[in-house]
Amino acid sequence: MKQTASTFTGLTDMTVPNDIAKLVAQLSLEEKASLLSGKNFWETMDIPRLGISSLFLADGPHGIRKQQAAADHLGLNVSVPATCFPTAATIANSWDVKLVEQMGKYLGVEARSLGVNVLLGPGINIKRNPLCGRNFEYYSEDPYLTGKLAAALVRGIQSEGVAACVKHYAVNNQETNRMAINAIVDERALREIYLTAFEMVVKEGAVQTLMTAYNRINGVYANEHSYLLRQILREEWGFTGLVVTDWGGSNDRIDGLLASSDLEMPGTNGESDRELVAAVQSGRVAESYLDESVSRLLYLAKNTSRIPENNHEISFDVRAHHEVARHIAEESIVLLKNQGNLLPLQKGQRVAIIGDFARSPRYQGAGSSNVNPTQISTLLGAAQQAGIQLVGFEPGYERYGKRNQSLQKRAINLAKKADVVLLCIGLDEASEAEGLDRPHMRLPDNQIELLGALQSVNPALVVILSCGCAVEMPWIGTVPAVLHAYLSGQAGAEAIVNIITGKVNPSGKLAETYPLRYEEVPSATLFPGKEATAEYRESLFVGYRYFDRFPEKVLFPFGYGLSYTSFSYRDLQISEEGVSFVIQNTGRWDGKEIAQLYVRKKASSLFRPEKELKGFIKVFIKAGEEQRVFIPFDEYTFRVFDVLNKTWSVEEGEYEILVGASSRDIRLRGNWYKKGHMVLSPCDPASLISYYTGDPARVSREEFQYLMEAPLPSDRWDRTRSLSYNDTVAQCQYAKSCFARLVFHIIDFLPPFFRKIGMRNQANLIMMSFYYMPFRGITKMMGGMVNRAMAEGLLVIANGHFFKGIKHIVKEYIKLRKAGYAKYRT
C-alpha cells in the first residue's frame, strides 16, 4: 500500500536554525531533489551558488576506509592509510564503556584529519546466529551490552565534530540474499532484541545519522518502513538526524522519502532526483517532505567539521594511535582455558611458534570495513622484541586449507625441541566477509590435523585463535591453554605477546555464547533464509537467553573469561537505585574483573528468558584488595514490551537479582519486588508451549504463525511467475529464458571453481556482487550507467524475450548517452 503525506514531527517541526531555513527557501525543487542522493559513490551533492558543500561519507566501524581512487563498497580498492583498531566483535569482549568511547575519539580525530563528515559505523545488529558472515563487525548477541558500547563509540566519534552513522536498521542478521530477504519476526523480539540497541544509541549516544538495512521486515523494505522509521525512530525515540540508505539499498525512492528516509547513496546520476521532482509535480508527494529531509541534511553539514584534505595542519599521531589500538586489544582478548597455569610463559622457557598467522596475522574482516593499516605487528616479530626464547618458527599449514604434509612434518619436528608451543590458528580472510555467511562453525581441517599431531609430541600447547566469531572446539579437551584474540587490529600481535608473557593480565570476557556444536544453536535449522523469508521462530531466545535453559549445550557461556588472578563476591545490597556488592581480588596478580547484573522475573504471564543482562562494570583491583562497586538500574532493567497495548511496561511482581562473573557463574542472589502493571499475553500460553516451557529451537511453523497472529508468507520463491525488479540474479535459475538460466548456471559454477583453484576472494566477490543482487541493485550500484529502463530490458530477456530485451536495452542506452547521464554528475 502506498503511503501518503502526513504531518511530520521531526526537525522541521522543531526550531530550525534561521540560516538553514533561509537556505532551504532559496533552493529550487530540482536542487532539493539533487541534495537527497549522492553526487558520486561517497559524496553528497554540492550547490556552489549557495555555498553548500558536499559531505563525505566513509566506511569505518574500526578504522577509516577512505578510498584514494576508484570507489567500491566491498573493500577491494586501496584506501588511505588509517589505524586499524580491533573490530566490534573484539572490543565487545572488553565490556569497557570508557575504553570504547576513547576509541571513538581516536576514530573521530582520524576521520576529521582525512576530511570525512560521516563515519559509517558502528554496526550493531544482533548476533542471532554464529554463522553470519558479518558477525566480526557486530558487538554481541545481547542488545543491552551492544547498545551501551555502541553509544559510547558514537559519543567518542562525535566529540570530534564527525557524525557517526549507526547501522543496519533493522533485523539485518544474515548476509545471504541480504538485499531481498524478508525477515519474519514477532513484535516482542523486534522490540526487545533487535531494536533496543538502536534505541540506546539514539537516546544515550545522540547519534546524528542512521543507515537503513537492505532487507525487508515483515514484508516491508527497511528503507521504506514507516513503522520503524517514522513511528518508532522519530516519534517514539525522538531521532532528528539524517537517515541514509545502505549503498544501493533504496527500493522505492518515493516510499522511502514518505517513510522518513532522507539520503539515497550512492548517486544514480539524477534518476532518483527526477523521480522525486515528478512525484512533487504530480501531487503524490508534498514538497514539504523534501524540505524536511534537506533541512536534516544541511543541519548535519552545519554540525560536522569537515577539514579539507590539503590542510596539513590537521593530522594524527600515527604511533600514539597504534599504541591505543594495542591497549584496546589487551583489554579485549579472552583467555578461554589455562590448565595447570601454562600461561603466562615462564622466563627461560624454550618456545616454538607455529602457524602461518604468526607471520601474516588475521587482524580484521573482509568487505566494506576493510582498513588499510598504518602499520602491522606480527606475533613472530613481537615475540622476538619481547625477548621470548624462541627455538624457531614454522608455518605448519597452508592458509586456505590445503593439506601439506611437508609443512606439518617440519612443525612437528620443531615442536619436539620446545618447552612450550604457541600454535596460531583461526579462519582465513575469505571465511569472514561481508556479503556471504559461513557454511559451518569449524576451523579448517588441515589446522585441526596439525593441532592433533603437535599435541601428541608436545602436550604444552597454547592455541592462539584469530577469528571474529564463535567456532567449534571438539579438540579443546586435549589442549591445556586457549587464548582467543578475535580480530584484534593492527597492534593485536603485540597485545597477545604482552598477555602470554604476563606483562598484561587478561581481562576480556565473551560477548557471545560458544555452543558445543552448531546444531545446538536455536536458529540452526532456519539459518540462513535462502529464498523468500528468514523466520525468526526462536523469538526472544537468542544466545544465552536460549542456552541458559540448556546448560549441556554450551562450551563457553556468555560473559565468560579467565584471568591470571581470582575474584570473590560478597555482600549484595539492593535498592531502588541499583545494586552494590564487594569484589575481592583473592589471587596474586593485580587484575580487572567484569561483574555482570542479570534480572529474572520469578512468575510471569509472558514467556521470558531465564535471565537477561541489565548492567555490568569493569573494575581494577590490586592483589589482596577489595572494592565495593555499584551497578545502577535504568529504564531498561525491568521493562517488557506490552504487545496488547503497543507500549513498554513494567510487569509488577518479584524479580530475582543475579550478580555474577558470567551468565552461568552467578555469585550473588537477591529478591526485589517491583511495582508496575499487569501485562497480558495476546496469545494463549497453551498454544505456545515451546516458548513457555519447551525448546524454542523446535517451534513449528504453525506455532510461530500463532505467535505472529498473521498468516506466514511462503518461504520459497514463486517459480511460476515472471521475474520482477526486486528479484535476484539467483532466481534466474527458474527463468523462462534459456539464456538467463545459462547465465545463472555459469555464475553458480564459478564460486566453487574459484575456491577449488585457490581464488577464494574472487569466489566471494561473485557471490557478493552478482549471485544475490536484485535487478534493482544493478541500477542502484552502477552510478547511473544502468538505469531502471535498462534493468527492465534485462528482465525482458530473463522472462523469455531475448531480442526484444536487447532492443530495449540498446534504445535506452542511446537515450542515456544523449542525455548525458552516462557518468557521475560533477
Side-chain angles (χ1 to χ4, degrees), residues 500-646:
I500 64 176
T501 58
K503 185 176 180 180
V504 171
N505 189 352
S507 62
K509 292 194 176 186
L510 295 176
E512 58 190 316
T513 306
Y514 275 50
L516 282 168
R517 301 178 305 132
Y518 175 67
E519 289 74 17
E520 314 292 4
V521 175
S523 57
T525 59
L526 296 167
F527 183 92
K530 293 183 178 179
E531 293 197 6
T533 69
E535 294 181 0
Y536 287 49
R537 293 190 198 177
E538 72 283 355
S539 184
L540 304 175
F541 298 95
V542 176
Y544 73 89
R545 286 171 168 79
Y546 170 80
F547 286 112
D548 280 359
R549 278 193 182 185
F550 305 99
E552 72 281 358
K553 296 184 177 184
V554 173
L555 177 62
F556 295 114
F558 176 79
Y560 170 88
L562 298 177
S563 169
Y564 293 150
T565 192
S566 56
F567 299 93
S568 66
Y569 292 58
R570 64 177 173 84
D571 194 20
L572 175 66
Q573 297 180 14
I574 309 172
S575 70
E576 195 68 45
E577 288 72 38
V579 301
S580 70
F581 50 94
V582 174
I583 304 178
Q584 182 178 7
N585 185 335
T586 56
R588 296 182 297 171
W589 292 70
D590 297 346
K592 294 181 180 179
E593 172 66 336
I594 298 167
Q596 301 151 44
L597 168 66
Y598 296 88
V599 172
R600 182 174 76 89
K601 182 69 170 66
K602 283 196 165 184
S604 177
S605 63
L606 307 173
F607 62 80
R608 286 176 175 260
E610 288 293 305
K611 55 182 170 290
E612 297 183 277
L613 181 74
K614 297 298 180 179
F616 56 90
I617 188 170
K618 188 170 189 175
V619 58
F620 172 77
I621 305 176
K622 291 185 176 182
E625 295 187 0
E626 63 181 38
Q627 186 174 332
R628 177 167 287 277
V629 299
F630 175 74
I631 300 177
F633 294 152
D634 57 26
E635 65 174 293
Y636 307 98
T637 305
F638 298 104
R639 76 177 193 176
V640 67
F641 192 76
D642 184 342
V643 176
L644 281 175
N645 294 304
K646 299 292 183 183

Side-chain angles (χ1 to χ4, degrees), residues 734-799:
Y734 59 82
K736 295 178 181 178
S737 164
C738 296
F739 176 77
R741 294 197 299 273
L742 175 63
V743 169
F744 163 77
H745 286 299
I746 292 172
I747 293 174
D748 190 51
F749 165 78
L750 288 176
F753 172 74
F754 281 147
R755 289 191 188 101
K756 188 172 183 179
I757 63 175
M759 299 175 67
R760 294 168 61 87
N761 288 329
Q762 289 82 353
N764 289 351
L765 179 61
I766 290 172
M767 296 299 291
M768 287 187 285
S769 301
F770 299 104
Y771 195 85
Y772 291 121
M773 178 70 73
F775 283 89
R776 77 166 191 278
I778 297 171
T779 70
K780 301 296 183 180
M781 297 296 281
M782 295 295 288
M785 290 184 287
V786 176
N787 62 17
R788 178 161 185 152
M790 293 169 68
E792 288 169 352
L794 293 174
L795 284 167
V796 171
I797 294 173
N799 288 320

Side-chain angles (χ1 to χ4, degrees), residues 61-342:
H62 59 268
I64 318 303
R65 189 175 80 91
K66 183 174 183 182
Q67 293 181 317
Q68 293 173 314
D72 75 273
H73 190 50
L74 300 174
L76 302 175
N77 295 322
V78 176
S79 57
V80 177
T83 307
C84 182
F85 292 95
T87 67
T90 313
I91 63 174
N93 297 329
S94 76
W95 295 62
D96 192 327
V97 171
K98 291 182 179 178
L99 182 70
V100 175
E101 186 166 345
Q102 180 190 30
M103 173 175 157
K105 283 184 67 67
Y106 281 87
L107 284 169
V109 167
E110 294 195 23
R112 188 159 55 91
S113 74
L114 294 173
V116 171
N117 294 80
V118 180
L119 195 58
L120 300 176
I124 63 171
N125 295 105
I126 296 300
K127 296 183 181 182
R128 175 190 177 224
N129 185 286
L131 298 188
C132 175
R134 216 166 174 179
N135 273 352
F136 65 89
E137 272 192 70
Y138 302 144
Y139 289 90
S140 176
E141 65 192 31
D142 181 79
Y144 189 88
L145 178 60
T146 295
K148 288 293 183 182
L149 296 179
L153 189 81
V154 167
R155 288 193 298 270
I157 292 169
Q158 295 188 165
S159 70
E160 295 298 323
V162 174
C165 181
V166 66
K167 59 186 185 182
H168 309 86
Y169 187 74
V171 202
N172 179 188
N173 308 102
Q174 68 175 61
E175 291 297 288
T176 300
N177 199 19
R178 62 179 175 165
M179 295 185 78
I181 199 72
N182 183 14
I184 309 298
V185 59
D186 70 278
E187 184 77 2
R188 277 190 65 203
L190 176 68
R191 300 301 296 260
E192 295 181 26
I193 303 297
Y194 297 104
L195 296 188
T196 291
F198 286 98
E199 178 184 359
M200 295 170 78
V201 172
V202 169
K203 291 180 176 179
E204 299 181 16
V207 69
Q208 295 181 51
T209 61
L210 176 143
M211 181 189 293
T212 55
Y214 286 124
N215 53 282
R216 290 175 288 165
I217 301 101
N218 295 333
V220 182
Y221 279 98
N223 191 62
E224 53 203 54
H225 210 300
S226 187
Y227 177 58
L228 289 181
L229 294 176
R230 278 204 183 275
Q231 189 172 327
I232 296 177
L233 178 66
R234 295 205 186 275
E235 296 175 9
E236 183 180 325
W237 298 346
F239 180 71
T240 59
L242 190 80
V243 172
V244 59
T245 69
D246 202 340
W247 265 234
S250 175
N251 169 54
D252 186 304
R253 185 67 185 98
I254 309 305
D255 280 356
L257 181 76
L258 292 173
S260 194
S261 176
D262 303 307
L263 175 64
E264 179 184 21
M265 291 298 288
T268 59
N269 259 345
E271 186 169 33
S272 295
D273 307 351
R274 294 189 294 277
E275 285 185 54
L276 292 178
V277 170
V280 172
Q281 291 174 339
S282 69
R284 181 185 172 193
V285 176
E287 190 170 349
S288 61
Y289 273 74
L290 275 69
D291 293 343
E292 295 161 4
S293 291
V294 169
S295 295
R296 286 191 282 261
L297 179 73
L298 296 178
Y299 189 78
L300 176 67
K302 180 180 178 181
N303 285 279
T304 55
S305 23
R306 183 178 181 188
I307 308 298
E309 288 184 54
N310 60 3
N311 186 343
H312 298 294
E313 295 178 5
I314 304 298
S315 61
F316 65 92
D317 186 329
V318 172
R319 185 61 199 172
H321 283 221
H322 180 82
E323 291 300 314
V324 170
R326 175 190 52 75
H327 175 61
I328 294 170
E330 290 170 351
E331 295 290 314
S332 306
I333 291 170
V334 185
L335 181 62
L336 295 177
K337 187 176 181 180
N338 194 24
Q339 184 178 320
N341 294 321
L342 185 56

